[in-house]
Amino acid sequence: MTDKRVTILLAEDNPGDVFLVRRALEKQGLHFDLVVVEDGQAALHFLDRADTDETVARPDLALLDLNLPRATGSRILLRIRQSLRCAAIPVIVVTSSDSPVDHEAAVKLGANHYFQKPGDLAGFMQLGAIVSQLLNDGKPLQASSSVS
Amino acid sequence: MPLRLDGRIDRPWRFLAIGIVLVVVVLFYADFRAFEDATAQIDVTRQLLQGTDAVLSSVKDAETSQRGYLITNDKNYLAPYNAAVKALPRQLDELSRAASAAGREVSQVARIRTLVDAKMEELKLTIQAQDQRGEAAAQAIVQTEEGRLTMDELRAASALVSSGEYVSLFERTRASELHANRSRIIVLVGCVGLVFLLFRLGTAVDKVVSERESFVQTVEESRRLLQTTLASIGDAVIVTDEDGAVRFMNPVAEKLTGWDVQEAAKRPLGEVFQVAGEQSRAPAENPFLMVKRGSTTRIATAEDSVLLSRDRGDIPIEDSAAPIRDPHGEVLGVVLVFRDVTARRIAERELERWKRFFAEAGFGMFVMDPKTLTFVDMNTTFATMHGYSVDELRGTPVAMVAAPESREKFLSDLRVASDQNRHTFEHQHVRRDGTEFPSLIDLTTFHHGEEQYWAGYCSDITERKQFEDALKESEERFRTLASTLPQLIWSTDPEGRFEYVNPAWIAYTGWSAGPWPEDPWSLVLHPADREDFMQRWNNSLASGNIFESEARMRRASDGGYRWFLCRGVAVRDRGGAIVRWLGGCTDVQQQVESATQLKLANEALQRSNADLEQFAYAASHDLQEPLRMVSIYSQLLKEEFGNGLDRRAGSYIDFAVGGAQRMSKLLKALLEYSRVGSEASAWQQKTDANIAVAAALLNLETMVRDAQAEICAGPLPMVRVPEIHLTQLFQNLIGNAIKYRKDGEKPRVRVEATAAGGGQWLFSIQDNGIGIDPEYLTQIFGVFKRLHGPAVEGTGIGLALCQRIVERAGGRIWAESQPGEGATFFFTLAETDSGR
């Protein structure tokens, strides 16, 4: 059972998608703090701070869009896997690309899941269940809800 | 007189010794016979004396016996008488025989016999008278004294015989003594003579012994001399005993055979001395046995015999063997002499090779005497070249082979050869049958001993002459042709030095006739092209390969450069040697310009294509994002505010979502279409079309099941199309076949591939659907072309994608159909080497 709050890092420049991610997590009933960074540099900066400053909350999971301004999602994924504190956290690549090349690259860099943004609402909402499953390390999902 | 003992005593001494012995023996024999004779006579004498005594004694006994009887009248007294009467005849006979044997006293003995008979008669009468008439009568007879007288006479006769014989005995004894004395003297003299001879013999023996000693010494010296000689001579020597076993080997023989003399001793010759034919390898007969058989005293083995030495392999040898015989001609052994003839055999073969070379050379060779101008010798080629045999030409004048009209020139050429020691000249020769041929002669003088000769070779150059004439003619033709050609024609010698250029060349480059410049190419080539051009040209000169280079050449008229394609080929003679290079330069300025333009256009096109693909990809991808937003948020709107909206608003939202989703599908299709052109390496992969069809059917599973379609796919080949695209191809075509089916009829689709020739497979996908109006058969492959309204689902990009895939693979796609008759889609793909 996961009652504690989790911190989730979301790198996404499209506000529409940020909204949909938040909605999916909420619908899943997770207690979470969502740290949203809108470009690659900001994401890298956050990770630098998290590594050097113990007071910064360590994210429990990261959701990365690949196609970000200033630094790509792949670059951020690489940085996470080299991080002192965050190297082991689950990472989900969330992208509209259906390219096998992108998929393979993400797996190679250590992404735990590759989520291709679907064109329908119900499909998108599946993201919540995936996040929950990864947070529970594969254990059954907990159905409780909270709004930050 | 010297007495030598070289085996025999000298003849005179021999005769003397025999003479002495003979004389002694003869004399001795004579004396012995005389002695024997004397002894026999003495025996006769003894017989005569004894016989006479015996007779007398018997008579006396008889008389005494008679008297006793007469006195006593006792018959017993008559016994001696009777014995005497009996013995007397025998005794008398013996006496007579002795006398006749001796040849003496025969008359006396006869008288004795008469007297004895008379006496015995008287005694008989008295006895008979006594017996018959008594004593008185007997006394009367005795009284007559006749008996006594007879007796006295008998005694006297006996005495005569005895005395005669004693005289004879004395004489004989004396004669014997004389003989004995003479024998002694003879024996003495003979002994003295023999002693003398013995003495001389002793001296001679001494001399012989000393001579023998010195002889032994001489023999020893000879032996040493022989051994030293055998050790030092270059020939190998082996001596065998009478059984053919090795007795002696000199060092050379040891070295050649590889046998040590101690080791070889007593071994059979055939083991130590093994000879075989160098080529045939047949073992030669043991020389000992050959000699022993006695047919020859000397043998020489075959020309190519080799000694199979123990440690040095085959050694060519020459050998001879001779028997050693005792005085009776018995073979005591064999002397085998052989020598290493390696050097000689090599020399002989060398000589043989040169002889054959001379005889069989493909060109004529001859030797002539410059003094007499006659042929000394020549090879067969030379003779047959002129229709003669070698024997016919030997000794004939050399002028005989010269064509009559050219004899003058021939003789003058000979004079040149004489002056220069060497001279090569062409000449017209005549054969025996009068036909002529051109020849090339090379004469060289050489000395053999004191004599000077000319050696020459002669080759028939008819063909070369013909070739030269033909060449000259072809050259003429070539020049005529070259002078009319617009191309720049040139020729060089094998080293690349210019020999000829045609008028077009002169006109273009502005060269005037005259001495060729040192480096003609550099004068006309553009400096930027010169290095590459010359490198290619020099490579070709070195390799003989075709020369080809493109370069700019300077036009004399305006100083401008134009592109030329220059090609050159090596012209070879029949032997393959390069005679010259022949080349031409063609003005390709126009082509180069068009090619450049084409290349530029091509590059631009490729760039444009790439841009287009990039654009299609980016557009379809980037356009997806806003569409996704439109679609999702429209759904969200309906979900969150659906209760507050009326039915119309709800259906508007549905239209908006439907439109967005449809556009998304179109964009995805466009994305696939744009991806076909990329991934060049993927197009090298081979794909099994059977697998692609299976994958396509898997993707179409729901559709096939819903339509209850019957799909029949024959065996399909391997093709060079990426699997993903081949699957798309079949998926689209089979999908269409099912999609455009007739109502109420079960769709049937047949997929086949046949070899279409030209390395192509022809695929066909045939259906029993609604068919296509021929008017639209070509339009259907356009992007977003659709023949049917929204009633039939589709993006309008499927067939365009199919066409793009097939054309990307180098094939062609088309359709054949009549409305209502079903449709067949065909496409071709290249065969791969692995086939079906």
Side-chain angles (χ1 to χ4, degrees):
Chain A
M1 174 178 282
T2 307
D3 277 340
K4 64 165 192 174
R5 286 189 88 78
V6 293
T7 303
I8 292 173
L9 174 67
L10 172 61
E12 175 59 81
D13 62 332
N14 184 350
D17 282 331
V18 174
F19 180 82
L20 288 171
V21 167
R22 188 182 296 276
R23 186 182 170 86
L25 295 176
E26 282 168 355
K27 284 201 93 171
Q28 189 64 33
L30 291 166
H31 302 277
F32 63 93
D33 290 325
L34 193 64
V35 180
V36 180
V37 286
E38 293 187 356
D39 68 58
Q41 280 298 341
L44 294 173
H45 187 61
F46 171 81
L47 287 166
D48 288 345
R49 277 204 301 131
D51 268 0
T52 51
D53 187 348
E54 290 283 335
T55 63
V56 175
R58 191 196 70 155
D60 296 292
L61 185 142
L63 300 164
L64 306 177
D65 187 11
L66 287 182
N67 194 13
L68 287 169
R70 301 176 69 190
T72 63
S74 300
R75 172 86 181 79
I76 300 162
L77 177 52
L78 189 66
R79 176 67 184 83
I80 288 171
R81 293 302 178 220
Q82 291 169 347
S83 159
L84 288 173
R85 293 177 68 204
C86 310
I89 65 170
V91 176
I92 300 172
V93 168
V94 182
T95 177
S96 56
S97 166
D98 64 343
S99 158
V101 178
D102 287 344
H103 194 150
E104 271 175 38
V107 171
K108 211 175 268 179
L109 287 170
N112 298 71
H113 193 87
Y114 188 89
F115 183 78
Q116 192 186 339
K117 295 171 186 169
D120 63 301
L121 184 63
F124 208 116
M125 291 304 115
Q126 292 295 315
L127 180 63
I130 294 163
V131 169
S132 179
Q133 191 174 6
L134 280 173
L135 285 172
N136 284 293
D137 197 21
K139 290 177 188 109
L141 305 176
Q142 191 62 40
S144 63
S145 153
S146 163
V147 180
S148 61
Chain B
M1 183 160 45
L3 191 150
R4 292 198 314 276
L5 261 184
D6 45 356
R8 304 278 162 89
I9 299 170
D10 261 5
R11 200 165 290 236
W13 288 99
R14 219 184 315 157
F15 288 144
L16 181 61
I18 291 166
I20 290 169
V21 172
L22 276 179
V23 167
V24 169
V25 167
V26 167
L27 290 177
F28 219 84
Y29 182 69
D31 277 3
F32 178 74
R33 288 300 303 266
F35 175 73
E36 220 175 34
D37 197 35
T39 308
Q41 288 302 324
I42 288 166
D43 200 40
V44 169
T45 302
R46 186 180 51 79
Q47 283 176 4
L48 282 173
L49 288 173
Q50 283 176 353
T52 309
D53 270 354
V55 168
L56 198 58
S57 172
S58 292
V59 172
K60 276 177 186 171
D61 287 347
E63 187 176 43
T64 310
S65 170
Q66 172 241 9
R67 277 179 192 158
Y69 176 64
L70 288 181
I71 296 166
T72 64
N73 211 20
D74 187 354
K75 285 270 190 179
N76 287 329
Y77 281 93
L78 282 181
Y81 168 78
N82 289 331
V85 169
K86 245 172 121 182
L88 271 172
R90 183 181 47 88
Q91 287 170 336
L92 281 172
D93 283 347
E94 282 176 1
L95 189 61
S96 297
R97 261 202 309 278
S100 60
R104 293 188 310 269
E105 314 293 349
V106 176
S107 57
Q108 288 303 327
V109 169
R111 196 162 169 254
I112 288 170
R113 182 183 284 266
T114 311
L115 291 172
V116 168
D117 288 346
K119 179 59 184 178
M120 289 308 284
E121 189 63 34
E122 184 255 338
L123 291 176
K124 188 179 154 188
L125 286 173
T126 48
I127 293 166
Q128 281 174 344
Q130 174 101 350
D131 289 346
Q132 295 163 357
R133 287 168 292 157
E135 196 174 315
Q139 279 299 324
I141 298 169
V142 173
Q143 293 301 322
T144 61
E145 292 281 298
E146 203 175 335
R148 195 190 45 91
L149 287 174
T150 305
M151 198 62 198
D152 287 346
E153 269 182 70
L154 188 59
R155 280 198 187 99
S158 295
L160 263 178
V161 168
S162 295
S163 65
E165 282 308 299
Y166 278 119
V167 169
S168 162
L169 190 63
F170 174 76
E171 283 171 354
R172 280 172 215 287
T173 306
R174 273 205 62 182
S176 288
E177 276 172 1
L178 275 173
H179 278 300
N181 284 341
R182 205 171 65 193
S183 293
R184 268 194 294 276
I185 290 163
I186 288 164
V187 167
L188 192 66
V189 170
C191 284
V192 168
L194 287 175
V195 164
F196 171 72
L197 272 177
L198 267 176
F199 174 73
R200 291 304 305 250
L201 197 64
T203 320
V205 166
D206 280 349
K207 203 170 164 191
V208 165
V209 167
S210 77
E211 275 179 2
R212 182 158 298 260
E213 275 170 3
S214 81
F215 174 72
V216 166
Q217 210 171 341
T218 310
V219 167
E220 182 61 27
E221 271 171 19
S222 307
R223 205 174 62 81
R224 271 203 302 276
L225 185 67
L226 182 67
Q227 285 206 337
T228 314
T229 308
L230 287 178
S232 61
I233 60 171
D235 288 351
V237 179
I238 298 179
V239 181
T240 75
D241 60 18
E242 67 271 27
D243 298 319
V246 173
R247 227 173 89 185
F248 170 81
M249 288 171 83
N250 73 346
V252 180
E254 286 181 315
K255 194 174 138 208
L256 287 183
T257 59
W259 285 83
D260 183 71
V261 67
Q262 264 87 30
E263 205 179 353
K266 306 283 184 203
R267 285 180 192 267
L269 180 64
E271 189 182 335
V272 176
F273 181 75
Q274 294 183 28
V275 176
E278 189 175 4
Q279 305 299 328
S280 66
R281 310 307 300 171
E285 194 183 353
N286 184 340
F288 170 78
L289 297 176
M290 288 176 79
V291 171
K292 179 88 176 178
R293 255 199 335 260
S295 53
T296 53
T297 54
R298 180 187 168 81
I299 52 146
T301 49
E303 279 298 297
D304 72 335
S305 64
V306 290
L307 174 68
L308 311 178
S309 87
R310 236 172 151 201
D311 51 356
R312 293 171 54 201
D314 294 358
I315 302 172
I317 59 157
E318 182 183 73
D319 69 283
S320 66
I324 308 168
R325 295 186 191 279
D326 71 4
H328 307 292
E330 284 299 310
V331 174
L332 295 179
V334 167
V335 178
L336 179 69
V337 180
F338 56 100
R339 65 175 69 92
D340 182 349
V341 293
T342 307
R344 203 183 72 196
R345 206 160 287 169
I346 289 170
E348 280 170 2
R349 287 189 184 155
E350 188 81 355
L351 185 65
E352 181 60 22
R353 206 165 57 235
W354 280 106
K355 270 186 187 162
R356 288 183 60 172
F357 169 70
F358 179 73
E360 296 169 16
F363 48 89
M365 294 169 86
F366 61 91
V367 177
M368 59 175 278
D369 185 342
K371 289 198 291 290
T372 59
L373 293 181
T374 53
F375 286 117
V376 176
D377 202 359
M378 76 284 306
N379 65 359
T380 317
T381 312
F382 182 83
T384 48
M385 186 188 286
H386 293 88
Y388 296 96
S389 72
V390 168
D391 289 335
E392 284 171 328
L393 271 191
R394 260 194 211 119
T396 58
V398 292
M400 197 166 101
V401 299
E405 68 276 14
S406 65
R407 270 177 198 151
E408 284 292 321
K409 179 185 172 297
F410 185 53
L411 292 174
S412 78
D413 275 321
L414 291 183
R415 277 194 293 278
V416 175
S418 171
D419 294 342
Q420 298 179 348
N421 285 340
R422 168 111 195 224
H423 184 43
T424 307
F425 55 96
E426 286 183 14
H427 185 62
Q428 195 69 10
H429 276 211
V430 62
R431 295 191 188 91
R432 169 181 251 167
D433 62 8
T435 55
E436 295 183 7
F437 65 95
S439 70
L440 180 73
I441 292 182
D442 184 296
L443 268 182
T444 312
T445 61
F446 75 97
H447 287 85
H448 187 71
E450 292 291 305
E451 296 295 317
Q452 189 198 23
Y453 294 101
W454 287 352
Y457 78 76
C458 169
S459 49
D460 184 339
I461 56 171
T462 307
E463 287 183 7
R464 202 188 81 188
K465 283 277 182 198
Q466 285 167 352
F467 181 70
E468 281 173 2
D469 290 347
L471 196 68
K472 215 174 274 176
E473 196 187 319
S474 117
E475 191 108 320
E476 284 300 318
R477 275 208 304 271
F478 162 71
R479 297 213 170 190
T480 311
L481 182 68
S483 63
T484 63
L485 284 174
Q487 278 88 354
L488 313 188
I489 307 293
W490 46 268
S491 78
T492 73
D493 67 9
E495 280 74 45
R497 285 184 291 269
F498 273 75
E499 290 178 337
Y500 167 79
V501 291
N502 70 343
W505 174 287
I506 292 168
Y508 183 84
T509 63
W511 279 359
S512 55
W516 299 108
E518 190 61 34
D519 185 5
W521 288 114
S522 68
L523 294 179
V524 295
L525 290 173
H526 191 285
D529 303 333
R530 199 176 293 158
E531 192 179 333
D532 178 65
F533 182 97
M534 290 312 289
Q535 193 179 343
R536 287 164 186 269
W537 175 227
N538 287 326
N539 284 348
S540 289
L541 284 178
S543 65
N545 293 334
I546 287 177
F547 160 70
E548 188 170 301
S549 180
E550 266 184 46
R552 280 160 287 182
M553 291 173 74
R554 190 172 178 277
R555 181 157 61 185
S557 58
D558 60 358
Y561 285 92
R562 289 181 70 80
W563 280 99
F564 277 84
L565 170 63
C566 297
R567 300 183 88 241
V569 291
V571 180
R572 295 167 190 274
D573 63 14
R574 286 193 309 172
I578 294 174
V579 179
R580 65 166 55 91
W581 284 87
L582 189 59
C585 299
T586 310
D587 186 334
V588 292
Q589 183 69 30
Q590 210 80 48
Q591 287 96 309
V592 167
E593 278 169 6
S594 344
T596 309
Q597 280 163 3
L598 194 66
K599 195 178 164 197
L600 289 174
N602 220 351
E603 281 168 6
L605 197 64
Q606 276 175 9
R607 266 198 306 278
S608 156
N609 267 348
D611 289 350
L612 208 60
E613 276 166 20
Q614 182 61 34
F615 167 75
Y617 178 83
S620 57
H621 181 264
D622 292 350
L623 290 175
Q624 287 283 2
E625 286 296 291
L627 270 177
R628 195 164 51 79
M629 287 294 125
V630 171
S631 171
I632 288 181
Y633 277 92
S634 299
Q635 289 171 37
L636 198 55
L637 190 65
K638 194 177 176 186
E639 186 179 306
E640 297 227 331
F641 304 101
N643 297 337
L645 294 172
D646 63 8
R647 256 190 37 203
R648 269 197 305 165
S651 66
Y652 292 167
I653 289 171
D654 288 342
F655 283 132
V657 170
Q661 286 181 341
R662 188 167 150 60
M663 183 161 179
S664 173
K665 278 187 184 170
L666 288 175
L667 286 172
K668 273 185 185 158
L670 200 60
L671 196 62
E672 278 177 2
Y673 181 82
S674 74
R675 277 179 183 163
V676 170
S678 54
E679 312 149 12
S681 67
W683 286 88
Q684 294 305 312
Q685 292 164 9
K686 284 186 278 189
T687 303
D688 185 342
N690 297 296
I691 291 174
V693 168
L697 289 177
L698 203 62
N699 294 342
L700 295 168
E701 195 183 2
T702 315
M703 190 192 223
V704 170
R705 197 174 51 232
D706 291 350
Q708 293 184 318
E710 197 175 278
I711 315 290
C712 178
L716 302 172
M718 302 284 289
V719 291
R720 272 189 215 285
V721 178
E723 188 176 329
I724 181 171
H725 294 317
L726 196 60
T727 304
Q728 282 174 331
L729 179 59
F730 285 118
Q731 191 173 329
N732 276 305
L733 292 174
I734 296 170
N736 280 352
I738 297 170
K739 203 186 291 175
Y740 301 104
R741 61 182 175 268
K742 281 182 194 160
D743 284 340
E745 195 172 330
K746 190 176 179 182
R748 286 195 178 80
V749 184
R750 175 178 290 274
V751 181
E752 281 178 333
T754 53
Q760 299 286 315
W761 287 108
L762 176 66
F763 287 80
S764 61
I765 291 91
Q766 189 179 20
D767 63 52
N768 58 345
I770 55 175
I772 306 161
D773 191 325
E775 192 183 338
Y776 300 109
L777 280 177
T778 48
Q779 287 184 29
I780 53 174
F781 295 103
V783 178
F784 300 137
K785 283 285 177 198
R786 299 199 69 221
L787 300 180
H788 302 272
V792 181
E793 202 186 326
T795 59
I797 209 150
L799 288 178
L801 181 68
C802 290
Q803 185 179 42
R804 190 159 161 82
I805 289 169
V806 170
E807 287 181 355
R808 175 65 178 80
R812 203 163 65 80
I813 187 165
W814 70 97
E816 291 175 4
S817 177
Q818 289 295 329
E821 298 287 313
T824 306
F825 280 79
F826 296 98
F827 62 90
T828 60
L829 289 174
E831 286 176 357
T832 61
D833 37 5
S834 55
R836 221 173 253 234

